[in-house]
Amino acid sequence: AQSVTQLDSHVSVSEGTPVLLRCNYSSSYSPSLFWYVQHPNKGLQLLLKYTSAATLVKGINGFEAEFKKSETSFHLTKPSAHMSDAAEYFCVVSGSGGGADGLTFGKGTHLIIQP
Amino acid sequence: DTGVSQNPRHKITKRGQNVTFRCDPISEHNRLYWYRQTLGQGPEFLTYFQNEAQLEKSRLLSDRFSAERPKGSFSTLEIQRTEQGDSAMYLCASSAAGTGGYGYTFGSGTRLTVV
């Protein structure tokens, strides 16, 4: 079975400083990995996806993630945090969450941006 | 098309009552998924439909839960004899077959509170 572990439940950074949200995955084969963001009272939004085409994946709003097979990691980064980035972020793997293309979510990382 | 629509947005019910939620997917999407998200956790898969056929159900979906998608368009999720443990955000998502995990569009969810 596939799973993801988000290493931090909360991350706090100052506006304008880099963001790092950590995710490790477990998979018996090459996984499809995603990062989703959830703003309060809004639906989940796809930030970026890894599907083996390239190890460095660029997403929306300046976020990117690097797939490292040797470390079984898929960390999310952004060079400079903005107040609007404050939200809940989920690392997600596809394929074992039920249903064709079902998703298995991590527990989430709450990103806090300090002014 | 305005995306995936869920109604109601909020539902407060007394323990033991029945509740029903509705999801209207993106019209050209033939797959529809239900997820449940409890406080501090990532969404967990409940069930999914391809067209009108319910193809998979999670062990989380007790016999008090029933989902339908009668004409392969909108779906309903009913919870009978609600319990306080049913309090959660219920998320619906849709996708087109063959798009993989990156084809999901999530609704904003229905927040259920059982008192």
Side-chain angles (χ1 to χ4, degrees):
Chain A
Q2 300 182 108
S3 65
V4 288
T5 302
Q6 293 184 243
L7 301 176
D8 307 291
S9 59
H10 293 78
V11 169
S12 180
V13 301
S14 297
E15 190 175 19
T17 64
V19 175
L20 170 64
L21 305 184
R22 299 182 295 164
C23 173
N24 285 353
Y25 71 89
S26 173
S27 175
S28 55
Y29 52 90
S30 184
S32 292
L33 292 162
F34 312 83
W35 277 97
Y36 277 81
V37 62
Q38 187 176 40
H39 290 274
N41 301 315
K42 291 190 177 180
L44 286 156
Q45 182 182 19
L46 179 65
L47 273 179
L48 51 80
K49 59 184 185 285
Y50 166 75
T51 54
S52 77
T55 57
L56 183 62
V57 181
K58 294 188 183 298
I60 61 172
N61 300 334
F63 284 94
E64 62 181 38
E66 186 172 8
F67 175 76
K68 291 187 176 181
K69 186 175 181 178
S70 60
E71 299 177 9
T72 61
S73 69
F74 189 58
H75 300 336
L76 182 70
T77 61
K78 182 173 181 177
S80 176
H82 191 272
M83 293 300 290
S84 61
D85 295 328
E88 193 80 15
Y89 290 79
F90 294 97
C91 183
V92 182
V93 62
S94 174
S96 64
D101 309 326
L103 303 179
T104 299
F105 286 76
K107 292 188 175 182
T109 298
H110 187 62
L111 178 60
I112 301 162
I113 311 296
Q114 305 282 359
Chain B
D1 197 334
T2 56
V4 177
S5 176
Q6 291 189 248
N7 288 287
R9 293 293 303 273
H10 303 274
K11 178 71 176 179
I12 300 175
T13 191
K14 291 183 179 179
R15 189 173 53 186
Q17 297 294 306
N18 298 345
V19 294
T20 300
F21 311 140
R22 175 175 170 132
C23 172
D24 288 89
I26 291 175
S27 56
E28 58 266 30
H29 285 178
N30 58 351
R31 286 187 178 160
L32 186 148
Y33 303 79
W34 285 99
Y35 285 76
R36 182 175 70 183
Q37 184 178 18
T38 53
L39 202 61
Q41 301 294 320
E44 296 172 291
F45 169 79
L46 291 178
T47 188
Y48 100 99
F49 293 84
Q50 180 150 319
N51 301 314
E52 67 276 10
Q54 187 173 19
L55 296 186
E56 188 165 343
K57 293 191 286 188
S58 161
R59 58 178 173 75
L60 294 175
L61 210 67
S62 76
D63 56 8
R64 295 185 298 106
F65 288 69
S66 63
E68 295 182 344
R69 194 183 183 198
K71 297 182 180 179
S73 56
F74 73 91
S75 175
T76 58
L77 178 67
E78 181 183 15
I79 309 174
Q80 296 182 327
R81 305 181 303 281
T82 53
E83 302 172 356
Q84 287 189 323
D86 297 331
S87 295
M89 176 76 83
Y90 290 84
L91 296 166
C92 177
S94 68
S95 72
T99 55
Y102 51 86
Y104 274 58
T105 300
F106 280 89
S108 297
T110 293
R111 183 171 295 283
L112 173 66
T113 302
V114 181
V115 298

